[in-house]
Amino acid sequence: MPYKERDITKLYYTMGEVTQMFDVNASQIRFYEREFDILQPKKNKKGNRLFSPEDVENLKIIFNLVKEKGFTLQGAKEHLKNNKGEVKENQKVIDSLERLKQFLLEVKEQL
């Protein structure tokens, strides 16, 4: 039976890792942190931000609303406030579809 690699999930991601994930500047992440209450990264003694996986998921939701769906910041805040459960469920579906797409592209490459 082939060895299956487990997905390694980190407890916290640094600001640099998060900016690479979303391909944005740190200033944009800090701006969204000030604007959206659902982003609550921890700070260490030096003041560096440490993002939990939940914070990363919330950033995915924010980027999806603002960048993909074209919401304004105020509109995204209100949408999150009124439909938090629905928005999180939609993000889970989007993530699973992206993983499926990545898997299918890998299969296509191997053929």
Side-chain angles (χ1 to χ4, degrees), residues 7-14 17-18 21 50-54 56:
D7 291 333
I8 298 173
T9 56
K10 296 175 82 173
L11 292 178
Y12 292 103
Y13 296 92
T14 63
E17 291 170 330
V18 172
M21 281 182 212
L50 298 173
F51 293 87
S52 68
E54 183 180 346
V56 173

Side-chain angles (χ1 to χ4, degrees), residues 10-102:
K10 296 175 82 173
L11 292 178
Y12 292 103
Y13 296 92
T14 63
M15 177 64 88
E17 291 170 330
V18 172
T19 57
Q20 284 180 346
M21 281 182 212
F22 294 100
D23 195 29
V24 294
N25 294 330
S27 60
Q28 188 170 8
I29 302 290
R30 288 191 299 270
F31 175 72
Y32 284 164
E33 177 189 348
R34 285 191 306 273
E35 291 294 318
F36 292 91
D37 295 335
I38 62 172
L39 290 179
Q40 298 293 323
K42 297 198 182 311
K43 293 184 181 178
N44 64 10
K45 291 180 182 178
K46 291 173 92 176
N48 299 334
R49 289 168 176 80
L50 298 173
F51 293 87
S52 68
E54 183 180 346
D55 289 326
V56 173
E57 290 300 318
N58 288 334
L59 271 171
K60 284 182 186 178
I61 292 170
I62 292 168
F63 274 96
N64 184 33
L65 290 174
V66 174
K67 301 287 185 187
E68 302 292 326
K69 293 188 176 181
F71 278 73
T72 62
L73 290 179
Q74 188 62 33
K77 285 181 204 177
E78 290 175 12
H79 188 71
L80 278 171
K81 187 184 291 183
N82 297 332
N83 306 314
K84 191 172 187 174
E86 179 184 332
V87 170
K88 285 193 175 208
E89 191 62 36
N90 287 344
Q91 188 62 41
K92 287 180 184 178
V93 171
I94 290 169
D95 290 342
S96 65
L97 289 173
E98 287 176 355
R99 284 193 302 273
L100 178 63
K101 178 181 176 182
Q102 185 63 34

